[in-house]
Amino acid sequence: METRDNTAIANPISPLENLSGSPVLPHITANTDVEAVAAWLAEYQDSPQTWKCYRREAERLLLWLKAQNLTLGQVNRDVLRHFENFLADPQPSAQWAGPTKPRHHPQWRPFRGGLSPASRRQSLIILQGLFSWLVEAGWVRHNPFRLMRDKSRRLNNQSPRIERYLERELWGWLWQWLNQPAGKGERDRYEMARRRFIFGFAYLLAPRVSEMADARMGDFHQSEGRWWWSVVGKGNKVAHIPLPADMLECLAEWRQTLGLATTPPHHDDTPVLRALDKKRGIGHNQLYRLIRETFNEAANALEAAEGSPANIAALRRATPHWLRHTSITHQAQAGISLRHLADSARHSRLDTTARYLHNEAIEWHQQQQRHQIEPRVTQDDAETL
């Protein structure tokens, strides 16, 4: 694991002591904090996206500790409180925040800006797990998260309901905007077709960004007359997702744009999403930036059309993962059963999928309208009175 300036964060071994005063050596092979964290990350090597997410949060902590001349073993409740404040507003901004860049780019920064409350909570949940593991490994004496008075509330990873999605009316506008006539140039037409396919793919199948970037043409296949998408998701779990008719149509249009037959041949290992040369695939970060840029362009277009300020703000906040949330939420609203919805989303627990069910809240709202200050009376009722 490397820091921003590609130097390891030094933390020479200093064995802990047990109650008898004898030194207790760590249960892992590590000489520095960085190596200790790398040993923790190795436990997640079979889940690349989890590993990447955990590395990001651990790296932010290690970089901040280095700037404070502290080590993991010196993190106490006060240090943790300062770090939590730092996550909300990383200062000095020029040192810590900046636009998305490749990790080895000289302008790479660990933040794009201060983290939202939800993102801070997620960061702390991950780091709490890190410290629990480091305690068991004998690398640090205690887990400072255990001293949080309201830990159970603040680090509850089960949000009551998913809110980061596009409401159906806004999604309808966005899809129409994505289908507007393309420019006259061949490159403009290609880029318009590509982002239309990306958003259609994301909306109809609820993939993660990495799953879209890694998708191969042969992952779309036919079995007993029905089309399916095979995907390797979190934890290297293989899933087979039914293709809606609209997805098959989107795929056919995209393949025609690439100069290919409408349906992919068996075991075609070429990438689904492609660069401007129509051959090379695109990376996870490139796809992430492309979707964010599209959201921003859409927000500008809606603002120029004097659209709803709330919808404009939603588009500006939206990240690629919002498309997955939007897809699952709209599938639930369309009446797809919870069991099948969980299979499509590849959730291991039904209560995770249930967070996308807004229908009950809508029904509650409708029924609540029966509760009135004064009963609404008809003309006949008024005459009777």
Side-chain angles (χ1 to χ4, degrees):
M1 184 172 178
E2 296 177 328
T3 64
R4 186 174 59 243
D5 56 4
N6 298 327
T7 60
I9 299 176
N11 180 29
I13 286 182
S14 54
L16 304 180
E17 292 183 356
N18 60 21
L19 294 177
S20 66
S22 303
V24 179
L25 293 176
H27 306 307
I28 54 175
T29 302
N31 294 307
T32 66
D33 277 351
V34 171
E35 291 177 3
V37 170
W40 170 67
L41 287 171
E43 300 294 327
Y44 300 93
Q45 60 186 359
D46 293 334
S47 300
Q49 291 310 305
T50 299
W51 183 92
K52 184 177 179 181
C53 178
Y54 285 16
R55 179 191 64 178
R56 180 187 64 220
E57 302 308 330
E59 186 172 47
R60 286 168 170 171
L61 174 62
L62 289 174
L63 287 168
W64 181 80
L65 289 175
K66 182 184 179 183
Q68 308 299 314
N69 293 317
L70 295 172
T71 66
L72 287 170
Q74 294 172 306
V75 177
N76 57 28
R77 183 65 186 94
D78 289 335
V79 172
L80 183 57
R81 186 177 292 107
H82 289 312
F83 178 68
E84 187 176 0
N85 292 335
F86 168 77
L87 291 176
D89 185 21
Q91 294 294 332
S93 180
Q95 176 183 344
W96 294 101
T100 302
K101 297 288 183 183
R103 285 178 54 78
H104 296 289
H105 192 282
Q107 295 180 3
W108 176 86
R109 297 292 183 270
F111 297 88
R112 287 194 297 273
L115 301 186
S116 67
S119 295
R120 294 200 300 275
R121 183 181 67 244
Q122 184 64 23
S123 177
L124 295 177
I125 289 169
I126 292 169
L127 296 177
Q128 176 189 219
L130 165 63
F131 272 91
S132 293
W133 189 89
L134 292 174
V135 169
E136 292 298 320
W139 190 258
V140 298
R141 291 179 182 276
H142 75 106
N143 185 343
F145 288 88
R146 292 179 65 86
L147 299 178
M148 280 186 173
R149 181 183 61 80
D150 53 350
K151 182 169 79 73
S152 61
R153 176 182 63 82
R154 295 176 59 204
L155 300 188
N156 180 4
N157 200 26
Q158 294 301 316
S159 174
R161 208 175 65 167
I162 293 295
E163 302 289 353
R164 295 173 297 161
Y165 73 101
L166 304 181
E167 294 185 1
R168 187 169 292 278
E169 181 183 6
L170 179 54
W171 166 256
W173 177 90
L174 178 62
W175 184 245
Q176 287 186 344
W177 179 79
L178 288 166
N179 281 273
Q180 64 186 324
K184 296 181 179 180
E186 181 180 351
R187 175 169 174 168
D188 287 342
R189 290 195 296 272
Y190 177 78
E191 290 184 333
M192 286 284 287
R194 182 173 65 178
R195 70 183 187 182
R196 184 166 56 247
F197 174 73
I198 288 171
F199 275 71
F201 186 176
Y203 180 75
L204 292 168
L205 295 180
R208 299 173 176 90
V209 168
S210 59
E211 295 166 351
M212 279 198 290
D214 294 338
R216 320 306 285 181
M217 285 294 185
D219 296 339
F220 298 101
H221 59 92
Q222 199 171 22
S223 175
E224 297 186 358
R226 297 179 176 87
W227 280 89
W228 303 79
W229 176 48
S230 295
V231 55
V232 179
K234 293 177 68 174
N236 286 330
K237 295 178 182 177
V238 179
H240 304 286
I241 313 300
L243 256 64
D246 283 357
M247 181 60 204
L248 197 57
E249 183 178 334
C250 283
L251 179 62
E253 291 178 357
W254 172 236
R255 287 180 57 83
Q256 287 176 329
T257 299
L258 296 172
L260 304 172
T262 55
T263 56
H266 192 53
H267 293 316
D268 183 351
D269 197 43
T270 59
V272 174
L273 301 183
R274 304 191 184 184
L276 293 176
D277 64 3
K278 300 184 179 182
K279 296 179 180 179
R280 292 179 295 112
I282 62 177
H284 301 181
N285 291 338
Q286 183 180 356
L287 177 58
Y288 185 97
R289 291 194 297 271
L290 193 155
I291 295 173
R292 282 301 303 267
E293 289 167 0
T294 301
F295 274 132
N296 283 328
E297 285 184 37
N300 292 337
L302 187 56
E303 187 173 37
E306 299 182 348
S308 160
N311 285 340
I312 295 167
L315 290 172
R316 296 206 188 282
R317 290 196 314 272
T319 67
H321 207 64
W322 279 44
L323 289 173
R324 177 171 163 81
H325 291 327
T326 300
S327 173
I328 299 171
T329 299
H330 289 187
Q331 288 182 59
Q333 292 172 345
I336 294 176
S337 72
L338 183 61
R339 179 170 65 86
H340 292 315
L341 189 59
D343 289 340
S344 293
R346 287 153 287 130
H347 290 151
S348 58
R349 296 169 45 143
L350 286 178
D351 57 356
T352 301
T353 312
R355 296 160 61 196
Y356 294 86
L357 302 181
H358 297 254
N359 292 350
E360 187 173 327
I362 294 172
E363 182 181 354
W364 179 19
H365 189 280
Q366 291 173 342
Q367 292 190 11
Q368 194 72 10
Q369 305 316 306
R370 301 173 184 173
H371 183 48
Q372 303 163 358
I373 293 177
E374 294 183 356
R376 292 185 175 86
V377 296
T378 65
Q379 183 63 35
D380 291 341
D381 294 331
E383 290 176 355
T384 301
L385 293 175

